[in-house]
Amino acid sequence: MVGLQASARRMSGAWGSAALLALSTCVLWGQVRPKPSNIVLILTDDQDEVLGGMTPIKKAKSLIGDAGAYFSNAFTVTPLCCPSRSSILTGKYPHNHEVRNNSLSGNCSSSAWQQGPEALAFPVYLSKQLYQTFYAGKYLNQYGKKESGGVSHVPPGWDQWHALVGNSEYYNYSLSVNGKEEKHGDQYDKDYLTDLIVNRSVQFLDGRSPQRPFFIMLAPPAPHSPYIAAPQYQNSFGNVKAPRDGSFNKPGGKTKHWLLRQPTNPMTNSSIEFLDNAFRKRWQTLLSVDDLVEKLVKKLEDVKELNNTYVFFTSDHGYHTGQFSLPIDKRQLYEFDIRVPLMVRGPGVKPNQIVQAPVLNIDLGPTFLDIAGVNLSQVNMDGQSFLPQMAPSLRNGTSRPYFLVEYNGEGYTGVNPDCPKLGPGVSQCFPDCVCEDAFNNTYACVRTLIGNNLQYCEFADTESFVEVYNLTADPHQLENIIKKVDPALLQTMNQRLIRLQSCVGSSCRDTKY
Ligand SMILES: *[C@@H]1O[C@H](CO)[C@@H](O)[C@H](O)[C@H]1NC(C)=O
Ligand SMILES: *[C@@H]1O[C@H](CO)[C@@H](O)[C@H](O)[C@H]1NC(C)=O
Ligand SMILES: *[C@@H]1O[C@H](CO)[C@@H](O)[C@H](O)[C@H]1NC(C)=O
Ligand SMILES: *[C@@H]1O[C@H](CO)[C@@H](O)[C@H](O)[C@H]1NC(C)=O
Ligand SMILES: *[C@@H]1O[C@H](CO)[C@@H](O)[C@H](O)[C@H]1NC(C)=O
Ligand SMILES: *[C@@H]1O[C@H](CO)[C@@H](O)[C@H](O)[C@H]1NC(C)=O
Ligand SMILES: *[C@@H]1O[C@H](CO)[C@@H](O)[C@H](O)[C@H]1NC(C)=O
Ligand SMILES: *[C@@H]1O[C@H](CO)[C@@H](O)[C@H](O)[C@H]1NC(C)=O
Ligand SMILES: *[C@@H]1O[C@H](CO)[C@@H](O)[C@H](O)[C@H]1NC(C)=O
Ligand SMILES: *[C@@H]1O[C@H](CO)[C@@H](O)[C@H](O)[C@H]1NC(C)=O
């Protein structure tokens, strides 16, 4: 009892007093008020929304999206793995968690991150609310490496921890299992990471205490490279190719920033073959994610928790295959890279809803804490709960009219060994030496959706380049309308951008102008 009373004293908000009352009869939530709902988050790696990334996961769509809400305007605030995942964990824009890129020097799982933002991430608050917390899968790209504290570093707030060391892999990887290294080979039945993490979550559910709510986060490697499908799916989608519509194989053109003026156009045949192959393999790996969702939902039903569990499904950012003649990657400001799939089922979320309100990855944390009964005005996150948008019978609340997307370009200071003809400052130059990133692919955008469907972006490059798109008239972002748009509107967008780039907490949600 001593430990529980100590935890209860640390709690704040609505559940604190209920739990204290309950403790006096040694029943936690049961008779006093219903215990808070359980929460599951499934976070895929590099799964796009715009180019058909949802097509292979039909069971997941039916078991989560059709059983609840599908969000048609879900965005990441930054289109790269480590900064985006850091935003999900902290509920903060990158300028506030200061994770700039996928490197240790850019704060990806660095000691500054571990001592600062990670110590205030959402699992810490859930744990204080007496949630039983479980993590399995990819965490942050530099996690578990020697220089970032090794596998013994288990982030605070997690009761059970099965995190991948380093970036996405399907076989031949190491996990930190509650701080101890566990090595895996390449036997499908024992090691396939997407299958392994759902199996571990099933074991967690069997071992949990039914008196307390739980939080499960599963982060499969799919559909990230090296996109190795399960044996039974290696011949699936044999005739599938990347979609040829929209901006596929179009030149970026003179009205786009420097990086988009570089790719060969039309693309080489070998680039097209490469990206079609990647597209097909990505879909194959997603079939195991579809199985993961089915297995987990069935288990929740078996243990009679499904009707008291919110299941969230999303991706860290989007992806492109041939758009504007860029072969494969993310990192760009365009729709294909910043839009993400998002669907949620759970108590109060009516089935078959399409929610159009804009929702960001920094809103996931605040939404979990809202569900858990945490007083959000005592939590310093930039995002806001979207419980009102998906379950209006439980909460009132308004959507934000505009938001920020920010990105720090990555480059190499030396010459790229694979493409010696290219100068320094660029990176991700494959295949055929087409570069997907550069130090000066550093930008910040304001996006409005309510009223005007507009995107306004400024680059930190020698041209102070600006791109503006009217997404209503031009959903594929083919035409930069900077020279056509009303200067007063540009000025408003610029002011919003400047304000949001230094916003903190509630000022990021301020909608006054
Ligand atoms: C890394 O984060 C710390 C705070 O956590 C910050 O002081 C530092 O400037 C960041 N580094 C970079 C390269 O942004
Ligand atoms: C795993 O590692 C072994 C030993 O290095 C190697 O033979 C095998 O090809 C690897 N498997 C995969 C799928 O990369
Ligand atoms: C996952 O569990 C299933 C049984 O439900 C088993 O057949 C499979 O081999 C397991 N896979 C891994 C990678 O643990
Ligand atoms: C590239 O592919 C196109 C269409 O499949 C074909 O017409 C063309 O000859 C190919 N070019 C080369 C250099 O192989
Ligand atoms: C959930 O389902 C169980 C039976 O599986 C039932 O006893 C319980 O009342 C249901 N709870 C809610 C909130 O509907
Ligand atoms: C939430 O916290 C704020 C600020 O500390 C406080 O003013 C408010 O009364 C709290 N709300 C509830 C419901 O406890
Ligand atoms: C929403 O606001 C209305 C009007 O203020 C109020 O009557 C209703 O109870 C609120 N609903 C919820 C779920 O808070
Ligand atoms: C990552 O960010 C750090 C800090 O800004 C920078 O020094 C480093 O060069 C970046 N890494 C890459 C690959 O761009
Ligand atoms: C962007 O960076 C590249 C590589 O360093 C450089 O060649 C180019 O001139 C830069 N362009 C702008 C507009 O800053
Ligand atoms: C965007 O396009 C729509 C449809 O063509 C048009 O009604 C609207 O005025 C445009 N907005 C701006 C700011 O140009």
Side-chain angles (χ1 to χ4, degrees):
M1 285 306 286
V2 172
L4 277 178
Q5 277 166 351
S7 322
R9 252 182 268 118
R10 273 186 273 120
M11 292 190 307
S12 56
W15 297 110
S17 50
L20 274 177
L21 245 175
L23 278 169
S24 60
T25 57
C26 266
V27 174
L28 262 174
W29 279 282
Q31 281 130 35
V32 183
R33 356 179 5 169
K35 74 178 178 187
S37 297
N38 311 305
I39 305 168
V40 171
L41 170 62
I42 298 157
L43 176 68
T44 55
D45 195 354
D46 282 6
Q47 184 183 8
D48 65 277
E49 140 82 8
V50 171
L51 303 175
M54 285 295 295
T55 308
I57 56 166
K58 301 222 179 316
K59 293 185 285 188
K61 172 72 172 38
S62 151
L63 290 168
I64 307 175
D66 299 349
Y70 191 92
F71 289 81
S72 57
N73 288 304
F75 293 87
T76 179
V77 298
T78 188
L80 187 66
C81 298
C82 200
S84 171
R85 285 161 188 259
S86 304
S87 283
I88 291 171
L89 290 162
T90 57
K92 291 179 199 287
Y93 280 117
H95 68 262
N96 287 330
H97 59 58
E98 299 181 277
V99 176
R100 312 288 179 188
N101 56 33
N102 285 342
S103 318
L104 201 61
S105 64
N107 266 335
C108 181
S109 209
S110 67
S111 62
W113 153 263
Q114 289 170 5
Q115 283 155 30
E118 191 177 62
L120 293 170
F122 72 74
V124 173
Y125 295 95
L126 290 177
S127 180
K128 283 186 190 157
Q129 296 295 94
L130 303 186
Y131 271 70
Q132 303 166 84
T133 55
F134 172 90
Y135 192 95
K138 171 172 169 180
Y139 186 57
L140 301 170
N141 302 43
Q142 302 297 330
Y143 171 75
K145 299 195 178 161
K146 247 193 219 114
E147 316 78 55
S148 47
V151 294
S152 64
H153 172 70
V154 176
W158 298 106
D159 299 326
Q160 277 208 36
W161 179 251
H162 303 254
L164 180 66
V165 173
N167 202 0
S168 278
E169 294 291 350
Y170 298 76
Y171 293 114
N172 286 350
Y173 54 82
S174 288
L175 296 178
S176 165
V177 175
N178 301 320
K180 294 220 167 63
E181 184 175 24
E182 184 184 282
K183 288 192 170 158
H184 283 265
D186 64 355
Q187 253 183 284
Y188 175 66
D189 290 349
K190 282 186 170 165
D191 305 310
Y192 194 66
L193 186 59
T194 306
D195 294 358
L196 179 134
I197 61 175
V198 71
N199 285 2
R200 299 259 163 119
S201 72
V202 164
Q203 286 166 11
F204 164 75
L205 284 170
D206 284 333
R208 81 195 191 287
S209 152
Q211 270 79 47
R212 287 159 56 199
F214 57 81
F215 179 89
I216 292 175
M217 182 161 172
L218 294 183
H224 195 284
S225 66
Y227 16 75
I228 304 173
Q232 67 274 28
Y233 297 136
Q234 284 180 353
N235 297 315
S236 304
F237 305 120
N239 299 318
V240 164
K241 289 183 169 180
R244 296 316 203 237
D245 53 357
S247 57
F248 182 82
N249 212 354
K250 293 250 160 62
K254 288 201 182 94
T255 71
K256 286 191 164 54
H257 63 286
W258 180 83
L259 185 67
L260 271 277
R261 289 177 235 144
Q262 310 310 310
T264 311
N265 176 263
M267 283 183 282
T268 62
N269 284 6
S270 68
S271 279
I272 295 181
E273 208 176 297
F274 186 90
L275 70 87
D276 276 335
N277 185 47
F279 189 89
R280 191 177 316 115
K281 291 195 158 161
R282 282 164 47 81
W283 276 25
Q284 291 169 354
T285 64
L286 283 167
L287 291 172
S288 293
V289 173
D290 211 26
D291 293 341
L292 172 155
V293 169
E294 181 182 43
K295 191 168 191 173
L296 184 58
V297 169
K298 183 168 181 304
K299 182 67 185 179
L300 291 169
E301 200 167 16
D302 289 349
V303 299
K304 300 196 166 30
E305 295 281 8
L306 185 59
N307 63 0
N308 193 29
T309 302
Y310 287 90
V311 183
F312 291 71
F313 183 102
T314 193
S315 167
D316 53 2
H317 47 71
Y319 204 71
H320 58 260
T321 45
Q323 283 58 44
F324 296 122
S325 306
L326 294 166
I328 57 163
D329 207 21
K330 48 264 182 173
R331 306 165 188 272
Q332 314 305 329
L333 57 89
Y334 308 102
E335 296 284 273
F336 38 77
D337 285 358
I338 63 171
R339 280 189 180 265
V340 291
L342 174 64
M343 46 190 186
V344 187
R345 70 173 290 158
V349 186
K350 289 209 185 103
N352 292 306
Q353 284 187 72
I354 306 236
V355 177
Q356 288 178 342
V359 167
L360 309 179
N361 62 344
I362 54 172
D363 298 338
L364 290 164
T367 306
F368 302 152
L369 299 190
D370 194 6
I371 290 168
V374 174
N375 182 344
L376 288 176
S377 48
Q378 293 173 1
V379 173
N380 184 25
M381 291 186 173
D382 302 336
Q384 65 185 54
S385 170
F386 56 86
L387 196 54
Q389 280 72 41
M390 63 182 185
S393 66
L394 301 179
R395 285 281 185 290
N396 281 321
T398 52
S399 302
R400 60 166 74 63
Y402 56 88
F403 56 87
L404 178 70
V405 173
E406 52 189 356
Y407 182 70
N408 256 67
E410 284 189 309
Y412 296 121
T413 36
V415 170
N416 198 319
D418 299 328
C419 303
K421 279 194 201 150
L422 298 170
V426 291
S427 70
Q428 316 300 318
C429 304
F430 63 91
D432 300 329
C433 293
V434 176
C435 301
E436 303 272 351
D437 211 354
F439 283 129
N440 58 24
N441 181 39
T442 293
Y443 56 82
C445 306
V446 167
R447 178 62 184 274
T448 60
L449 269 156
I450 295 167
N452 267 328
N453 192 359
L454 273 187
Q455 187 185 29
Y456 171 92
C457 304
E458 293 184 1
F459 281 83
D461 65 8
T462 58
E463 298 167 351
S464 298
F465 211 81
V466 178
E467 293 185 30
V468 186
Y469 297 99
N470 181 346
L471 279 302
T472 307
D474 178 24
H476 299 297
Q477 297 164 296
L478 302 174
E479 188 192 6
N480 179 1
I481 56 166
I482 171 104
K483 300 233 164 80
K484 294 186 183 167
V485 82
D486 177 2
L489 183 58
L490 288 183
Q491 200 184 354
T492 304
M493 295 299 263
N494 166 269
Q495 282 164 357
R496 287 172 172 173
L497 185 67
I498 290 169
R499 197 178 64 77
L500 282 181
Q501 279 184 286
S502 59
C503 74
V504 185
S506 62
S507 68
C508 300
R509 304 185 292 271
D510 192 353
T511 57
K512 277 203 288 287
Y513 56 96

